Amino acid sequence: MTDKKVKILETALELFATQGYNAVATNKLAKQAGVSEGLIFKHFTNKKGLLDALLNDAERRMGQLFGPVLMETDPAKVIKMTIELPFSIPQSEYNFWRLQFKLKWQGEYYKPDKMKPVLEKLTAAFQALEYDFPQYEAEVLNYIIDSVSVGILRDGLEKHFHQKDFLIKKYKL
Amino acid sequence: MTDKKVKILETALELFATQGYNAVATNKLAKQAGVSEGLIFKHFTNKKGLLDALLNDAERRMGQLFGPVLMETDPAKVIKMTIELPFSIPQSEYNFWRLQFKLKWQGEYYKPDKMKPVLEKLTAAFQALEYDFPQYEAEVLNYIIDSVSVGILRDGLEKHFHQKDFLIKKYKL
Amino acid sequence: MTDKKVKILETALELFATQGYNAVATNKLAKQAGVSEGLIFKHFTNKKGLLDALLNDAERRMGQLFGPVLMETDPAKVIKMTIELPFSIPQSEYNFWRLQFKLKWQGEYYKPDKMKPVLEKLTAAFQALEYDFPQYEAEVLNYIIDSVSVGILRDGLEKHFHQKDFLIKKYKL
Amino acid sequence: MTDKKVKILETALELFATQGYNAVATNKLAKQAGVSEGLIFKHFTNKKGLLDALLNDAERRMGQLFGPVLMETDPAKVIKMTIELPFSIPQSEYNFWRLQFKLKWQGEYYKPDKMKPVLEKLTAAFQALEYDFPQYEAEVLNYIIDSVSVGILRDGLEKHFHQKDFLIKKYKL
DNA sequence: TATGAATGAGTATTCATTCAT
DNA sequence: GATGAATGAATACTCATTCAT
């Protein structure tokens, strides 16, 4: 992986995340990355290929983020950690997650399965805690952390920090 | 308002909602509407102007949807009706709301104030019901109905119908 | 000649003279004239037809302006009157002459013959006054009044007024 | 500067000079230059940018043409050389000067200051030769050579050649 | 690996003109 | 005589992609 290839990826992530995939011309991307336009296509064949390269990390990063939750055995802790998830995203990965959410709404790229393991883990946790409708509880909590994540990525961490403690209290954890 | 102008608006709503504003070319739009491309610009000046014409309805439709909630005085009913909101969107308006949510994520068009009256009404309701953190409760419920709405518009009503009763039960209404 | 037809002609003259024939859209012309776009074509068939209608006056107005010069018999007076020509254009006809000059430079419409009678009259006058090269003298004076006219139409009468007396003195009239 | 870029400039000069800037469509220009339409915009950003590139030479070419006059110290020679100016334009630059004059009449581009140094030099020369109204004499001569230039560019050199000797004689040089 | 000149299909928009009423 | 809805060809400009060097 050469320096220039890295620079292309970094710049693409930043621009795609802030302006949207379609709104970014390879033209401008190349200029901002300090690279010739041709090089993008040498390395990634397509503009789509560049996006894919960016998204390939998704698996890994999601694993990194969700892994600890999935490994946890104490059901209360599973729920608590899930609530804490959006607040534990490293600032350095904000653009990556912004891109994820942008694409989710741009259609084509939405993959609901991505969250399935977490959803199942949550269901099991709510079941262990003897909630009446563990699956529905899991769905709703998933909705909440989804919206909280969106808010944090949009407004910054501070404006949403109170929600962490509130949710933890609300779920009596 | 001539037939052709109406046809342009209808077609635009459908295409913008499903494919996204940027992804729809005016020439394709014109062809699908059975109209000359020029007519779009005669009537709406801009592609943007066409979008605006579509969005001008937003105010009215939101009022129509949220109105009953805002008028309600019984706090329990306020919350119940809020939960029922996403399930009461007329199927004929799905494309309109799809467009709303798409634009919210495309940036530029996000107006958080739109929901403010509902948020305040919810806060008051939770307060009346002596919840500990009425404002935070309102925020969270707002998050939930937001996500439920998105889900319904994406997957259809049936796949989310169970959530209505569950939420009503969860909030003890 | 209906009121609206007159209004179209007036507006067209003003806009063509100031912005140029090609730069004026029938669109805007109609709006500014307070008339439907279709009416322009009812009355003048073409945009070109509208221009022609404007230009048909040319003959008459040129006759009006040049007539006295052509009728004069005293050679000195012929030259003097020619020099005075650009300064005697009624302010109300400035737009008409602006249009003339604009078209002359836009190509297509240049008709050098228009000035021929004046040129011949001038030649005869210079000959009568025993100038060595009466035809060339006529050409040069023609050049001068052409440029003076352009200047007046561009900058206004005042900025060029001194040139009248100077030229009269220069030609010892 | 690649071959194709040069070809674009050459073709643009020819077409703009003969048909006028607005009358030339970029797609026709591209076809005649044997170049893709996109390349015009790669190299010059705008159609306007292409015109500017053409006009940037103006300064240089004017200097080249007027320079010798401005350097001359003998007042008689200054006037003589000024008279000779329009006749000394290299045939290869006719299109360039046609474009200059066309734009001067199209408005927007008229810069009267361009001729100021020559005008001042002429004024000084007429003063040195003890003309009564040196500044006005300069203005008039400027008018004459302006019109002569226009004539030459329109009709060709031959039809106006006699005017050089006549003017030199007229000004007793 | 890296460049940058070049392409061609596509995009929003303009505009003179037609036509039913 | 007058309107205004509608057309379709043309226009300036964009953009992902190719290719010779």
Side-chain angles (χ1 to χ4, degrees):
Chain A
M1 182 98 83
T2 66
D3 279 6
K4 299 226 168 187
K5 187 170 179 182
V6 172
K7 200 69 179 42
I8 291 172
L9 283 165
E10 286 173 357
T11 309
L13 178 56
E14 187 191 332
L15 295 184
F16 289 172
T18 51
Q19 314 184 27
Y21 171 72
N22 284 311
V24 177
T26 51
N27 200 3
K28 314 255 169 73
L29 173 47
K31 182 167 286 181
Q32 180 150 343
V35 150
S36 76
E37 210 176 346
L39 193 58
I40 295 174
F41 294 87
K42 274 282 180 226
H43 280 310
F44 304 100
T45 339
N46 267 344
K47 191 184 173 187
K48 181 75 175 2
L50 174 56
L51 180 61
D52 288 341
L54 247 21
L55 262 30
N56 279 343
D57 258 15
E59 229 78 357
R60 195 180 49 75
R61 297 208 207 197
M62 288 205 172
Q64 216 168 293
L65 204 61
F66 299 152
V69 177
L70 298 176
M71 300 295 292
E72 182 58 56
T73 53
D74 176 356
K77 276 205 169 167
V78 165
I79 295 167
K80 184 158 182 274
M81 288 167 79
T82 302
I83 290 169
E84 289 166 342
L85 271 180
F87 302 92
S88 67
I89 301 171
Q91 205 112 9
S92 64
E93 296 196 355
Y94 273 24
N95 271 338
F96 174 80
W97 291 101
R98 279 188 192 112
L99 179 54
Q100 289 293 324
F101 279 96
K102 264 222 159 100
L103 291 173
K104 178 173 160 185
W105 257 109
Q106 196 135 343
E108 300 195 44
Y109 287 93
Y110 178 60
K111 298 200 182 134
D113 306 334
K114 287 269 176 70
M115 287 303 292
K116 224 179 168 185
V118 178
L119 222 40
E120 283 167 355
K121 186 81 185 182
L122 270 179
T123 304
F126 280 118
Q127 192 153 36
L129 294 177
E130 299 191 324
Y131 275 66
D132 283 342
F133 305 92
Q135 194 197 323
Y136 300 166
E137 290 284 355
E139 278 176 10
V140 166
L141 182 52
N142 183 36
Y143 283 168
I144 295 171
I145 62 157
D146 204 69
S147 288
V148 170
S149 304
V150 167
I152 289 173
L153 292 171
R154 192 202 321 111
D155 314 318
L157 192 57
E158 314 78 36
K159 291 215 173 162
H160 293 266
F161 214 85
H162 63 275
Q163 296 171 335
K164 187 167 84 172
D165 290 334
F166 169 67
L167 285 169
I168 289 172
K169 225 171 275 170
K170 188 173 164 66
Y171 281 92
K172 303 183 209 300
L173 301 168
Chain B
M1 183 97 84
T2 64
D3 283 4
K4 299 224 170 186
K5 187 170 179 184
V6 172
K7 201 67 179 40
I8 291 171
L9 283 166
E10 286 173 359
T11 310
L13 179 55
E14 186 190 334
L15 295 184
F16 288 172
T18 51
Q19 311 182 26
Y21 172 72
N22 285 311
V24 177
T26 51
N27 79 30
K28 309 270 168 61
L29 171 47
K31 183 166 283 181
Q32 179 150 342
V35 148
S36 75
E37 205 178 352
L39 193 58
I40 295 175
F41 295 89
K42 271 268 142 115
H43 281 310
F44 304 101
T45 343
N46 268 345
K47 190 183 173 188
K48 179 75 175 359
L50 175 55
L51 179 62
D52 288 341
L54 250 19
L55 260 31
N56 277 344
D57 260 13
E59 229 76 356
R60 197 181 48 75
R61 298 207 205 200
M62 287 204 172
Q64 217 168 292
L65 205 60
F66 299 153
V69 177
L70 298 176
M71 299 296 292
E72 183 57 58
T73 53
D74 177 356
K77 274 203 169 168
V78 166
I79 295 168
K80 185 159 181 271
M81 286 167 80
T82 303
I83 290 169
E84 287 167 343
L85 270 181
F87 301 93
S88 67
I89 300 172
Q91 205 112 10
S92 64
E93 296 196 354
Y94 273 25
N95 271 337
F96 175 81
W97 291 101
R98 278 187 192 112
L99 178 56
Q100 289 292 325
F101 279 97
K102 265 223 160 97
L103 291 173
K104 180 173 158 185
W105 258 109
Q106 195 134 344
E108 297 193 46
Y109 285 93
Y110 177 59
K111 295 193 184 141
D113 305 334
K114 287 271 175 69
M115 287 304 290
K116 221 179 170 187
V118 178
L119 222 40
E120 282 167 357
K121 187 81 186 181
L122 273 179
T123 303
F126 280 118
Q127 191 152 36
L129 295 177
E130 299 191 325
Y131 275 67
D132 284 341
F133 304 93
Q135 193 196 325
Y136 299 167
E137 290 284 352
E139 279 176 10
V140 166
L141 181 52
N142 184 36
Y143 283 169
I144 295 171
I145 63 158
D146 203 70
S147 289
V148 170
S149 303
V150 167
I152 289 174
L153 292 172
R154 192 202 321 112
D155 315 319
L157 193 57
E158 314 78 36
K159 291 215 172 160
H160 292 267
F161 214 85
H162 64 275
Q163 296 171 335
K164 186 167 82 172
D165 291 333
F166 169 67
L167 285 169
I168 289 172
K169 225 170 277 169
K170 186 173 166 65
Y171 281 91
K172 303 183 207 303
L173 302 168
Chain C
M1 182 99 83
T2 66
D3 279 6
K4 299 226 169 187
K5 188 169 178 184
V6 172
K7 201 66 178 47
I8 291 172
L9 284 166
E10 285 173 357
T11 309
L13 177 57
E14 187 190 332
L15 295 184
F16 288 173
T18 51
Q19 314 183 27
Y21 171 73
N22 285 310
V24 177
T26 51
N27 201 3
K28 314 258 169 72
L29 173 47
K31 181 166 284 179
Q32 179 150 343
V35 149
S36 76
E37 211 176 347
L39 194 58
I40 295 174
F41 295 88
K42 275 279 180 227
H43 280 310
F44 305 100
T45 345
N46 268 343
K47 191 185 174 187
K48 182 71 175 2
L50 174 55
L51 179 61
D52 288 341
L54 248 22
L55 262 30
N56 279 342
D57 258 16
E59 231 75 0
R60 194 179 51 74
R61 296 208 206 199
M62 288 206 173
Q64 216 168 293
L65 204 63
F66 299 153
V69 177
L70 298 176
M71 300 295 292
E72 181 58 55
T73 52
D74 177 356
K77 274 202 169 170
V78 165
I79 294 168
K80 185 158 181 270
M81 288 167 79
T82 302
I83 289 170
E84 287 166 343
L85 272 179
F87 301 92
S88 66
I89 301 172
Q91 205 113 8
S92 63
E93 296 197 353
Y94 272 25
N95 272 337
F96 174 80
W97 290 101
R98 277 187 193 112
L99 178 55
Q100 289 292 325
F101 279 98
K102 265 222 159 99
L103 291 173
K104 179 174 159 185
W105 257 109
Q106 196 135 342
E108 299 193 46
Y109 287 93
Y110 177 59
K111 297 198 185 134
D113 306 334
K114 287 268 176 70
M115 287 303 291
K116 222 180 171 187
V118 177
L119 222 40
E120 282 167 357
K121 187 79 184 180
L122 271 180
T123 304
F126 279 118
Q127 192 153 35
L129 295 177
E130 300 193 323
Y131 276 66
D132 283 341
F133 304 93
Q135 193 197 324
Y136 299 167
E137 290 285 352
E139 278 175 9
V140 166
L141 182 53
N142 184 38
Y143 283 168
I144 294 171
I145 64 159
D146 203 71
S147 288
V148 170
S149 303
V150 167
I152 289 173
L153 293 171
R154 194 205 318 113
D155 314 318
L157 191 58
E158 314 77 35
K159 290 214 174 163
H160 293 267
F161 214 84
H162 64 275
Q163 296 171 336
K164 187 168 82 172
D165 291 333
F166 170 66
L167 286 169
I168 289 172
K169 226 171 275 170
K170 187 174 165 65
Y171 280 93
K172 303 183 209 300
L173 302 166
Chain D
M1 181 97 85
T2 65
D3 282 4
K4 299 224 171 187
K5 187 171 180 183
V6 172
K7 200 69 180 40
I8 292 172
L9 283 166
E10 285 172 358
T11 309
L13 179 55
E14 186 189 334
L15 295 184
F16 288 172
T18 51
Q19 311 182 26
Y21 172 73
N22 285 310
V24 176
T26 51
N27 79 29
K28 308 271 168 62
L29 171 48
K31 183 166 284 181
Q32 179 150 342
V35 149
S36 74
E37 202 178 354
L39 193 58
I40 295 175
F41 296 90
K42 272 268 140 113
H43 281 310
F44 304 100
T45 345
N46 269 343
K47 191 184 171 188
K48 179 75 175 359
L50 174 54
L51 179 61
D52 287 341
L54 249 20
L55 260 32
N56 278 343
D57 260 14
E59 228 79 357
R60 196 180 49 73
R61 297 207 207 200
M62 288 205 173
Q64 218 168 293
L65 205 61
F66 299 151
V69 177
L70 298 176
M71 299 296 292
E72 182 57 56
T73 53
D74 177 357
K77 275 203 167 168
V78 165
I79 295 168
K80 184 159 181 272
M81 288 168 80
T82 302
I83 291 169
E84 287 166 343
L85 272 179
F87 302 92
S88 66
I89 301 171
Q91 204 112 11
S92 63
E93 297 197 353
Y94 272 25
N95 271 337
F96 174 81
W97 290 102
R98 278 188 192 111
L99 178 55
Q100 289 292 326
F101 279 98
K102 266 224 159 94
L103 291 173
K104 179 174 157 184
W105 257 107
Q106 195 134 345
E108 298 194 44
Y109 285 93
Y110 177 60
K111 296 192 185 144
D113 305 333
K114 287 269 175 69
M115 287 303 291
K116 222 180 170 187
V118 178
L119 221 41
E120 282 167 357
K121 188 78 184 183
L122 272 179
T123 303
F126 279 118
Q127 192 153 34
L129 295 177
E130 300 191 323
Y131 275 66
D132 283 342
F133 304 93
Q135 193 196 326
Y136 298 167
E137 290 284 351
E139 279 176 9
V140 166
L141 181 53
N142 183 36
Y143 283 169
I144 294 171
I145 64 159
D146 204 69
S147 289
V148 169
S149 303
V150 167
I152 289 174
L153 292 170
R154 192 202 323 111
D155 315 318
L157 192 57
E158 313 79 34
K159 290 214 174 163
H160 292 266
F161 214 85
H162 64 275
Q163 296 171 334
K164 186 168 83 172
D165 290 335
F166 170 66
L167 285 169
I168 289 172
K169 227 170 276 169
K170 188 173 165 64
Y171 281 91
K172 303 184 208 303
L173 302 166

